[in-house]
C-alpha cells in the first residue's frame, strides 16, 4: 500500500519537532560531496550581502531572519547543564559542612542577635557578667572547701560580685586559691567594666547625635509647622517669629541636616533679634509630610497652621505636583486640625487643587463647618469640634508680579505694600464689633483714630445645600464673602467682621465720629466738575490715560504680568518687551493676549542692558519700565556653565538693572523728555540693601521676590482671610491700589489745608478710600494724628483703594456719611 509523499510545507512544519539525534527519514539523490560546497557558498553569499547592506545604511537584508524576537520580561528560562561528573560530590559537601564548628555557629548566632536587637550589646554584657559571677561563686565555694570552710551559695555569689567589681578585695583573701581566684575575677571584671563603659558611651553619644539630628519629639502646641527648605524659608520664619510681637513658636521640617539649618537660621535671625521680636522660638527637624513618624515628631496634630513650601526645582509643574500631593495627604488626615497653606507656582494649579480637594475628599456635611476665604481656600472634610480647617493654595509669585506691576504703574505702591505685609508695621486685621451693627460702612470709616477701615467680611451662609456635593462644588454657597471698599451705604449686620489697617490687633477701638462737615460744592478742578469727579470708576489718576509700558527681560512667569496689564491700563495703552530669548510658545501666548484683550504688544529681541537696543526703541513715549530678574537668581538650577537656563533672559543682578535704568534715563533726557518714566526692578534677596541705595539714584521702586513672597505666606498663615484682601487690592480687576494727586480734591479757591479726616471725606465722595499719603517725600500709612492739618501741595499724593466700573454696575448713591 503506497502512501502519498508529504508536501513541502508539511515537511517544514514537522521538521521543527524532529529530535536532534534522530536520523533523517528522507533520502537525497544529491551526493554529499556536492551539497556541502553549495551550502558553504550560500552562507558566504548571505554574509557578503548582509555586510554590504549594513555598510550602505539599508539595514538588515533579511530582517525576519536576522532580527531576534523580543525577550520576555519575566518568562525567559535558561536551562543550566549539570556539572561534569566527579567535580562535586555529596561527600565533599558533607565534609564542608562538618568543618563549620560550634564556635562558628555561636559567633554567627551572636552576630544575628547584635544586628537585630538595638540593646544587644548591653544584654550580652549582662549575660556574660552574670555567668562569670556564677562561675566565680562555684569556684569560691570549691576554694573554701580546700581549707575546710563551708560557705553558703548566696555568700559566695556576693564575694564573686565584689571580686569582679572591686579590685581591693584581693587583700582580704586568706588562702592561695582564693587569691588566685580573686586575681582572675578582678581582671575579668575590669575587662567587662571597660566594655560596659564603652557601650554606655556609645549609647549616650547616639542619643546626643539623635538630638542633634532632630529625632526628638516636639513638645509644643499651637505652633506653626513649616515644611520645606527653600529660598523662602528663612524670610518666612523671620516674619512668623515677629508676628504681633508675641512669643511665636515655629517648627521647621526641612530636608537639610538639623545642624546646617540651625546654623543658617542663627546667622540670619540672631538670638538678640528673636528676643526683640517677643522671644520667638525656632525648632528644626528633618522630615517629610508623607511620613507619619516625621509628622508625629513635629507635633503636626497640635499645630495651628502647616505651611507647605514649593521645593526649589527647575520644573514648576513638578514642584506643584509635590505640594498638591502633600496637601491632599494632610487634608485627609483625621488627626490634624491645622490650617494648610500650600505654596504653588501656577495660578492654574491653585484652581486644580481646589477641584481635586472637592472631588477626591468628602465634602463637609455639617452646615456650620465651612470656613471662608472667598474662593482661595476650601474647607476640610474632617475637623475637630469648634475648629474650622482651611486649605489655602497660594500663588505667591503671582502676587509678587502684581506688586511689581502696580509699583510701575502707580509710583509708591511698592513701599506701602511692603509695609502692609511686614508685621513690624501696620497690617490687615479682621474683628467683629457688635456695637457697630446697624450702622453703615461710611459711618465706621470715621470711628477709629488708630485704624483705617477697608472692608467687611460677611459670615458663611448657614443654609444647607440640597446635597453636600453640590455645596462643595459651589464655593460661593458655603463660604463667606470679603468686601473690600464696599459702598458707603453698606449696612454692618450681625456676624460681620470689620477689615482695618492697624498696628496690631489690640491697638484700636471705635470712638466718637470724626466725620467733618460736608465740603462745599467743588468747582471745576483740573478741568473736571465735581459730579464727574465723584462718579465711581473714574479713570483720572496721577498717571492718567494711556500708558506705554516697557518690560526688560523675560521669564515664563512674566506672562501672568502681561495678562494683568489690560485690567490696569487704560484703553489705547501699549506694551513693549525687550529680551534676548522668547520661545515660540511664549510668542503665541503673547499674541493671544494681544488679540483677546486688544492690547498692542511688541517684541524686541536683544539685551536690555545694550545701549544700541535701547536707542532703537521709542523711549520718549515710555511711561513705566519693569526690569525682570532671571530665573537662576530665584533659586533655579544652574547649567553646565554655572549660570541658569535663562540667566541671560533677564536682569541677573542689580548691577545690570542699574545699568539699564541709567541708560533709559540718559536716552530720555537726550531726547528732551519732560517726564521721566517710572522704573521698578526685581532684585535678589542678597542685594536688598543695595537696592535701597539704588532707589535714591536710578530706580523708583524695587521688589525682592523671595522676601515679598515670604511676607505673603506669613500674612496668610497668620490669618488665611487676608489672602482674599491681597487678591483684591494688588492688581485686581475689582479693587486695586492707585495713586491720586491730592490737589484733585481741592477747589480752585480753597486754601488747601485739610486734616486726614477732611481729605478722606472728600475722596469718599468718589467712593474711593485713602489708606496712605505722601507729603514732603515720605509715605504715611495709617497716620497716627488724623486730625492734624496738612498743607496739601501739587507734589503730594494719595494712595487709595478704588473700584473698577465693573465692580459696582449701575448707579451709585452719593455718600451721605
Amino acid at each position: 500500500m503506497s502512501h502519498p509523499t508529504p508536501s513541502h510545507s508539511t515537511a517544514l512544519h514537522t521538521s521543527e519537532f524532529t529530535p536532534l539525534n534522530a536520523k533523517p527519514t528522507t533520502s537525497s539523490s544529491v551526493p554529499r560531496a556536492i551539497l556541502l560546497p553549495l551550502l558553504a557558498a550560500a552562507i558566504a553569499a548571505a554574509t557578503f550581502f548582509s555586510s554590504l547592506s549594513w555598510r550602505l545604511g539599508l539595514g538588515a537584508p533579511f530582517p525576519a531572519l536576522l532580527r531576534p524576537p523580543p525577550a520576555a520580561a519575566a518568562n525567559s528560562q535558561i536551562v543550566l547543564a549539570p556539572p561534569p561528573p566527579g567535580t562535586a560530590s555529596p561527600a565533599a559537601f558533607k565534609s564542608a559542612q562538618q568543618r563549620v564548628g560550634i564556635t562558628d555557629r555561636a559567633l554567627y548566632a551572636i552576630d544575628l542577635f547584635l544586628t537585630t536587637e538595638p540593646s544587644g550589646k548591653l544584654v550580652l554584657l549582662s549575660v556574660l557578667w552574670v555567668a562569670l559571677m556564677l562561675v566565680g561563686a562555684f569556684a569560691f565555694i570549691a576554694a573554701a572547701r580546700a581549707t575546710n570552710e563551708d560557705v553558703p551559695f548566696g555568700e559566695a555569689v556576693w564575694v564573686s560580685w565584689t571580686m569582679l567589681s572591686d579590685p581591693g578585695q584581693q587583700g582580704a583573701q586568706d588562702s592561695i586559691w582564693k587569691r588566685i581566684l580573686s586575681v582572675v575575677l578582678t581582671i575579668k571584671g575590669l575587662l567587662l567594666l571597660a566594655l560596659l563603659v564603652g557601650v554606655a558611651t556609645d549609647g549616650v553619644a547616639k542619643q546626643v547625635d539623635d538630638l542633634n539630628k532632630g529625632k526628638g519629639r516636639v513638645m509644643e502646641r499651637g505652633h506653626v509647622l513649616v515644611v520645606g527648605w527653600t529660598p523662602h524659608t528663612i524670610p518666612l520664619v523671620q516674619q512668623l517669629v515677629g508676628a504681633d510681637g508675641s512669643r511665636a513658636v515655629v517648627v521647621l521640617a526641612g530636608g537639610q541636616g538639623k545642624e546646617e539649618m540651625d546654623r543658617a537660621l542663627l546667622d540670619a535671625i540672631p538670638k538678640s533679634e528673636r528676643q526683640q521680636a517677643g522671644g520667638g522660638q525656632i525648632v528644626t527637624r528633618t522630615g517629610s509630610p508623607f511620613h507619619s513618624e516625621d509628622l508625629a515628631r513635629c507635633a503636626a496634630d497640635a499645630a495651628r497652621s502647616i505651611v507647605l513650601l514649593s521645593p526649589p526645582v527647575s520644573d514648576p509643574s513638578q514642584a506643584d505636583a509635590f505640594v498638591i500631593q502633600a496637601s491632599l495627604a494632610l487634608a485627609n488626615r483625621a488627626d490634624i486640625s491645622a490650617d494648610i497653606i500650600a505654596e504653588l507656582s501656577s495660578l492654574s494649579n491653585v484652581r486644580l487643587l481646589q477641584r481635586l480637594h472637592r472631588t477626591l475628599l468628602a465634602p463637609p456635611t455639617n452646615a456650620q463647618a465651612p470656613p471662608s476665604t472667598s474662593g482661595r481656600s476650601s474647607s476640610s472634610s474632617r475637623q475637630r469640634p469648634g475648629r474650622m480647617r482651611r486649605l489655602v493654595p497660594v500663588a505667591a509669585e503671582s502676587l509678587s508680579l502684581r506688586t511689581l506691576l502696580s509699583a510701575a504703574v502707580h509710583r509708591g505702591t511698592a513701599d506701602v505694600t511692603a509695609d502692609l505685609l511686614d508685621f513690624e508695621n501696620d497690617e490687615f486685621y479682621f474683628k467683629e464689633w457688635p456695637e457697630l451693627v446697624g450702622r453703615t460702612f461710611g459711618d465706621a470709616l470715621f470711628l477709629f483714630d488708630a485704624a483705617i477701615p477697608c472692608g467687611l467680611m460677611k459670615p458663611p451662609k448657614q443654609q444647607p445645600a440640597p446635597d453636600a456635593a453640590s455645596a462643595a462644588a459651589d464655593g460661593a454657597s458655603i463660604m463667606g464673602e470679603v468686601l473690600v471698599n464696599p459702598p458707603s451705604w453698606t449696612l454692618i449686620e450681625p456676624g460681620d467682621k470689620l477689615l482695618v489697617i492697624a498696628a496690631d490687633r489690640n491697638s484700636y477701638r471705635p470712638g466718637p465720629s470724626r466725620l467733618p462737615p460736608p465740603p462745599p460744592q467743588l468747582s471745576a478742578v483740573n478741568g473736571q466738575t465735581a459730579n464727574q469727579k465723584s462718579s465711581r470708576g473714574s479713570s483720572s489718576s496721577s498717571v492718567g490715560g494711556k500708558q506705554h509700558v516697557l518690560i526688560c527681560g523675560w521669564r515664563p512667569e512674566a506672562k501672568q504680568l502681561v495678562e494683568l496689564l489690560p485690567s490696569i491700563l487704560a484703553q489705547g495703552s501699549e506694551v513693549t518687551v525687550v529680551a534676548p530669548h522668547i520661545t515660540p510658545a511664549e510668542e503665541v501666548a503673547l499674541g493671544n493676549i494681544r488679540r483677546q484683550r486688544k492690547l498692542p504688544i511688541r517684541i524686541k529681541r536683544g539685551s536690555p542692558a545694550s545701549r544700541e537696543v535701547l536707542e532703537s526703541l521709542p523711549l520718549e513715549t515710555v511711561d513705566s519700565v519693569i526690569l525682570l530678574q532671571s530665573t537662576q537668581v530665584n533659586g533655579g538650577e544652574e547649567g553646565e556653565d554655572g549660570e541658569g537656563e535663562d540667566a541671560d533672559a533677564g536682569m541677573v543682578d542689580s548691577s545690570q538693572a542699574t545699568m539699564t535704568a541709567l541708560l533709559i534715563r540718559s536716552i530720555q533726557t537726550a531726547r528732551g523728555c519732560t517726564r521721566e518714566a517710572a522704573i521698578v526692578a526685581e532684585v535678589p534677596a542678597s542685594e536688598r540693601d543695595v537696592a535701597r541705595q539704588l532707589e535714591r539714584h536710578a530706580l523708583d521702586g524695587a521688589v525682592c521676590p523671595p522676601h515679598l513672597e515670604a511676607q505673603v505666606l506669613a500674612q496668610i498663615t497668620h490669618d488665611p482671610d487676608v489672602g482674599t484682601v491681597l487678591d483684591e487690592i494688588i492688581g485686581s480687576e475689582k479693587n486695586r491700589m492707585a495713586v491720586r494727586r491730592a490737589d484733585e480734591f481741592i477747589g480752585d479757591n480753597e486754601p488747601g489745608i485739610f486734616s486726614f479726616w477732611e481729605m478722606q471725606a472728600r475722596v469718599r465722595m468718589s467712593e474711593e478710600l485713602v489708606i496712605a499719603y505722601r507729603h514732603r517725600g515720605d509715605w504715611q500709612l495709617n497716620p497716627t494724628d488724623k486730625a492734624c492739618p496738612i498743607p496739601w501741595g501739587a507734589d503730594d499724593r494719595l494712595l487709595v483703594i478704588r473700584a473698577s466700573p465693573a465692580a459696582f454696575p449701575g448707579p451709585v448713591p452719593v455718600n451721605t456719611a
Side-chain angles (χ1 to χ4, degrees):
M1 186 175 188
S2 62
H3 297 280
T5 303
S7 64
H8 180 67
S9 61
T10 305
L12 288 176
H13 180 70
T14 56
S15 66
E16 296 178 5
F17 300 92
T18 303
L20 295 177
N21 56 358
K23 296 181 180 180
T25 56
T26 59
S27 59
S28 176
S29 59
V30 182
R32 181 174 297 180
I34 300 177
L35 182 62
L36 291 179
L38 290 176
L39 182 60
I43 294 175
T47 303
F48 172 75
F49 284 114
S50 176
S51 176
L52 181 62
S53 177
W54 283 111
R55 289 179 178 274
L56 296 177
L58 301 178
F62 310 105
L65 298 177
L66 300 180
R67 185 177 303 157
N75 195 24
S76 298
Q77 300 182 6
I78 302 175
V79 178
L80 300 178
T87 56
S89 61
F93 182 73
K94 185 176 182 180
S95 63
Q97 282 188 328
Q98 290 177 351
R99 286 195 298 268
V100 180
I102 299 177
T103 304
D104 295 333
R105 295 181 183 275
L107 292 177
Y108 179 69
I110 293 175
D111 183 23
L112 288 179
F113 178 75
L114 295 177
T115 304
T116 55
E117 292 293 334
S119 58
K121 294 180 180 179
L122 184 60
V123 172
L124 182 61
L125 286 177
S126 300
V127 171
L128 291 176
W129 191 284
V130 172
L132 189 58
M133 187 172 57
L134 294 176
V135 171
F138 286 113
F140 186 79
I141 293 175
R145 288 180 180 178
T147 57
N148 297 324
E149 295 182 24
D150 188 10
V151 180
F153 180 74
E155 182 66 20
V157 172
W158 172 253
V159 173
S160 177
W161 160 258
T162 57
M163 290 180 180
L164 286 172
S165 58
D166 186 7
Q169 292 295 325
Q170 300 178 14
Q173 309 305 322
D174 54 0
S175 66
I176 185 62
W177 297 110
K178 291 181 180 179
R179 292 174 180 175
I180 293 175
L181 177 63
S182 177
V183 171
V184 173
L185 291 180
T186 299
I187 294 174
K188 297 293 185 182
L190 291 176
L191 293 177
L192 290 177
L193 186 61
L195 292 176
L196 182 62
V197 171
V199 171
T201 303
D202 291 342
V204 173
K206 183 178 182 302
Q207 292 294 331
V208 174
D209 186 60
D210 290 344
L211 293 177
N212 290 333
K213 292 181 179 179
K215 294 184 178 181
R217 182 179 176 85
V218 174
M219 308 301 294
E220 299 286 351
R221 298 190 63 86
H223 57 278
V224 177
L225 174 58
V226 179
V227 181
W229 184 260
T230 72
H232 296 162
T233 302
I234 292 180
L236 173 60
V237 172
Q238 190 172 14
Q239 289 290 320
L240 292 175
V241 168
D244 272 356
S246 58
R247 183 186 180 276
V249 178
V250 180
V251 178
L252 174 60
Q256 305 292 327
K258 183 179 186 301
E259 296 180 355
E260 180 181 351
M261 293 188 293
D262 288 339
R263 191 181 307 110
L265 288 170
L266 191 60
D267 292 340
I269 315 173
K271 188 175 180 180
S272 58
E273 183 176 341
R274 303 180 191 183
Q275 295 296 331
Q276 293 177 0
Q281 187 72 22
I282 304 175
V283 183
T284 57
R285 292 291 183 268
T286 301
S288 168
F290 301 109
H291 298 163
S292 299
E293 296 180 358
D294 295 341
L295 294 175
R297 188 183 301 116
C298 298
D301 56 341
R304 172 175 57 88
S305 301
I306 300 177
V307 183
L308 296 173
L309 297 180
S310 180
V313 296
S314 58
D315 186 4
S317 60
Q318 181 181 356
D320 285 355
F322 172 84
V323 174
I324 290 175
Q325 182 183 9
S327 301
L328 296 177
L330 293 176
N332 202 30
R333 292 180 62 100
D335 58 334
I336 294 179
S337 61
D339 294 332
I340 302 172
I341 316 299
E343 181 194 7
L344 297 173
S345 301
S346 174
L347 284 174
S348 60
N349 287 330
V350 171
R351 294 183 287 268
L352 173 62
L353 179 56
Q354 292 175 340
R355 291 195 300 268
L356 288 176
H357 180 261
R358 296 167 185 169
T359 304
L360 300 180
L361 301 182
T365 57
N366 185 1
Q368 298 181 358
S372 65
T373 52
S374 190
R376 287 183 56 86
S377 66
S378 54
S379 60
S380 174
S381 59
R382 299 177 183 179
Q383 52 190 287
R384 296 179 180 177
R387 178 72 167 89
M388 293 189 301
R389 298 180 63 199
R390 287 176 280 193
L391 173 59
V392 187
V394 181
E397 186 174 6
S398 176
L399 288 174
S400 175
L401 291 174
R402 295 184 190 184
T403 303
L404 188 69
L405 176 59
S406 178
V409 178
H410 304 287
R411 301 191 188 193
T413 56
D415 297 335
V416 178
T417 302
D419 290 342
L420 283 173
L421 296 177
D422 197 338
F423 287 108
E424 296 181 357
N425 303 306
D426 297 83
E427 61 263 9
F428 292 106
Y429 291 100
F430 285 97
K431 193 171 184 179
E432 183 177 355
W433 299 98
E435 56 266 44
L436 299 183
V437 173
R439 306 190 70 167
T440 64
F441 177 77
D443 294 335
L445 195 59
F446 298 91
L447 296 179
F448 294 88
D449 292 333
I452 298 180
C454 300
L456 295 171
M457 183 173 69
K458 296 292 182 179
K461 296 183 179 180
Q462 303 297 327
Q463 293 80 5
D467 62 328
S470 62
D474 184 11
S477 63
I478 65 174
M479 297 179 183
E481 184 180 7
V482 177
L483 303 176
V484 178
N485 186 26
S488 298
W489 41 265
T490 304
L491 286 178
I492 301 177
E493 301 175 345
D496 290 354
K497 293 183 178 180
L498 189 66
L499 170 66
V500 302
I501 297 176
D504 57 66
R505 196 177 300 275
N506 301 318
S507 64
Y508 64 99
R509 289 192 60 83
S513 178
R514 306 296 184 181
L515 179 64
Q521 183 69 18
L522 298 179
S523 58
V525 179
N526 296 335
Q528 295 182 344
T529 64
N531 293 332
Q532 290 174 330
K533 294 172 67 62
S534 63
S535 62
R536 181 182 294 272
S538 174
S539 61
S540 63
S541 66
S542 63
V543 292
K546 305 175 183 179
Q547 287 201 64
H548 184 188
V549 178
L550 174 63
I551 301 177
C552 295
W554 187 260
R555 65 174 189 268
E557 297 80 9
K559 186 172 71 71
Q560 302 177 18
L561 186 146
V562 180
E563 290 175 346
L564 291 170
L565 282 172
S567 62
I568 296 180
L569 301 179
Q571 291 290 335
S573 299
E574 56 182 329
V575 178
T576 301
V577 179
V578 180
H581 304 292
I582 297 181
T583 63
E586 292 169 345
E587 288 192 23
V588 172
L590 293 177
N592 294 335
I593 298 175
R594 181 193 303 118
R595 289 188 298 271
Q596 296 173 4
R597 308 300 292 271
K598 293 181 172 46
L599 178 66
I601 302 176
R602 293 194 299 269
I603 299 176
K604 175 68 175 180
R605 298 185 183 276
S607 173
S610 172
R611 186 178 186 90
E612 291 76 10
V613 174
L614 294 177
E615 286 181 342
S616 64
L617 301 174
L619 294 181
E620 62 275 4
T621 64
V622 172
D623 302 293
S624 304
V625 180
I626 300 175
L627 306 180
L628 296 179
Q629 68 177 2
S630 66
T631 306
Q632 189 267 340
V633 176
N634 254 345
E637 295 183 353
E638 294 185 356
E640 296 178 357
D641 57 350
E643 296 293 334
E645 295 179 359
D646 300 324
D648 56 348
M651 302 291 105
V652 176
D653 52 25
S654 59
S655 61
Q656 291 193 20
T658 305
M659 177 61 66
T660 304
L662 293 176
L663 287 176
I664 291 175
R665 297 204 185 281
S666 174
I667 295 174
Q668 285 189 330
T669 303
R671 295 181 182 180
C673 298
T674 58
R675 182 175 179 272
E676 291 185 344
I679 304 177
V680 296
E682 290 182 323
V683 295
S686 59
E687 301 183 10
R688 288 180 58 204
D689 296 335
V690 178
R692 292 170 183 168
Q693 299 296 328
L694 295 178
E695 289 185 44
R696 303 178 181 178
H697 305 286
L699 303 178
D700 295 292
V703 174
C704 175
H707 186 76
L708 183 65
E709 293 162 15
Q711 287 180 316
V712 171
L713 292 172
Q715 288 286 340
I716 298 177
T717 302
H718 191 249
D719 188 354
D721 294 316
V722 173
T724 305
V725 182
L726 298 179
D727 259 348
E728 286 284 335
I729 66 174
I730 302 179
S732 172
E733 296 186 4
K734 294 182 180 180
N735 295 279
R736 60 175 178 269
M737 291 189 296
V739 177
R740 301 288 300 269
R741 295 180 49 155
D743 56 3
E744 293 182 21
F745 304 94
I746 302 175
D748 293 336
N749 298 323
E750 291 184 298
I753 302 177
F754 305 108
S755 66
F756 179 84
W757 295 119
E758 294 173 317
M759 185 59 72
Q760 182 76 279
R762 290 169 174 263
V763 175
R764 195 59 188 168
M765 293 180 63
S766 59
E767 290 298 330
E768 296 178 355
L769 192 151
V770 183
I771 62 173
Y773 65 86
R774 189 183 68 185
H775 179 65
R776 295 177 181 175
D778 296 328
W779 282 97
Q780 297 291 331
L781 175 65
N782 182 27
T784 55
D785 189 2
K786 297 181 175 62
C788 177
I790 300 175
W792 302 97
D795 296 332
D796 295 337
R797 297 291 182 266
L798 304 175
L799 184 62
V800 302
I801 299 178
R802 62 185 310 183
S804 66
F808 295 93
V812 179
V814 179
N815 179 21
T816 58

